[in-house]
Amino acid sequence: MNILVVEDDAKMREGLVELLENEGYNVNSAENGQIAIDFIQKNEYDVVLTDLIMPAIGGMDVLKEAKKNSNKTQVILITAYATIENAVEAVKSGASEYITKPFKVNEVKTKIRKVTAEAEFTEGLQLIDSKMIKAVSNPIRRNVI
């Protein structure tokens, strides 16, 4: 699984990278939104874990670019400045989860497992739906069903 960590605080970023690599994930990291967008345009990520508030290009811009590049990418926003408005905007823009700082290590691991499991489940449902549509669109198959 490929994960991109976007965090302007070096210690936080390095800690997240170490944590996720220890969990067996392939991890890239970016110290700002522009570098993150460059990574997103050149690579496919299963999960993008991004800080919301960063200089110049923030987490919402990273979120939008990640979703534009691949709708399958799960984006988790992290912020120390949590508001209901931010959370609502993040979800409307396609964020899968929202984590507030300070957070516990297990919270990050749990959220990543949750969003990837939900994505796999959704993908499985779409596959079943497409096979069902194919089955009932054929008159012979439809009569058998």
Side-chain angles (χ1 to χ4, degrees):
M1 176 177 309
N2 297 319
I3 297 178
L4 175 61
V5 173
V6 188
E7 172 62 63
D8 57 330
D9 179 277
K11 286 184 181 180
M12 176 75 71
R13 184 177 62 253
E14 292 164 8
L16 286 167
V17 168
E18 183 179 344
L19 165 75
L20 297 172
E21 285 178 340
N22 288 341
E23 290 294 308
Y25 299 119
N26 299 317
V27 184
N28 289 120
S29 66
E31 63 264 18
N32 64 52
Q34 184 57 59
I35 293 171
I37 288 172
D38 291 344
F39 271 125
I40 289 166
Q41 291 172 345
K42 295 174 186 168
N43 303 289
E44 287 190 30
Y45 293 99
D46 300 294
V47 176
V48 173
L49 187 63
T50 182
D51 192 7
L52 180 61
I53 308 296
M54 294 181 289
I57 297 176
M60 288 303 292
D61 294 318
V62 172
L63 163 65
K64 290 172 185 171
E65 185 64 30
K67 295 311 261 183
K68 184 174 90 175
N69 191 58
S70 172
N71 202 34
K72 292 181 180 180
T73 301
Q74 304 302 305
V75 180
I76 301 172
L77 289 172
I78 301 173
T79 186
Y81 307 100
T83 66
I84 292 172
E85 292 81 16
N86 284 347
V88 169
E89 182 184 358
V91 170
K92 283 183 179 178
S93 296
S96 303
E97 275 292 343
Y98 194 83
I99 299 173
T100 56
K101 294 178 186 176
F103 54 81
K104 293 184 172 119
V105 170
N106 283 337
E107 181 179 9
V108 173
K109 291 192 236 179
T110 301
K111 299 273 184 175
I112 289 173
R113 284 193 295 268
K114 178 182 177 246
V115 299
T116 56
E118 287 173 351
E120 289 171 6
F121 180 75
T122 301
E123 192 173 310
L125 286 179
Q126 290 169 345
L127 182 62
I128 290 169
D129 285 346
S130 69
K131 286 183 177 181
M132 183 62 77
I133 289 169
K134 280 184 180 179
V136 296
S137 65
N138 181 302
I140 295 169
R141 290 185 194 134
R142 187 174 43 245
N143 288 339
V144 170
I145 293 173

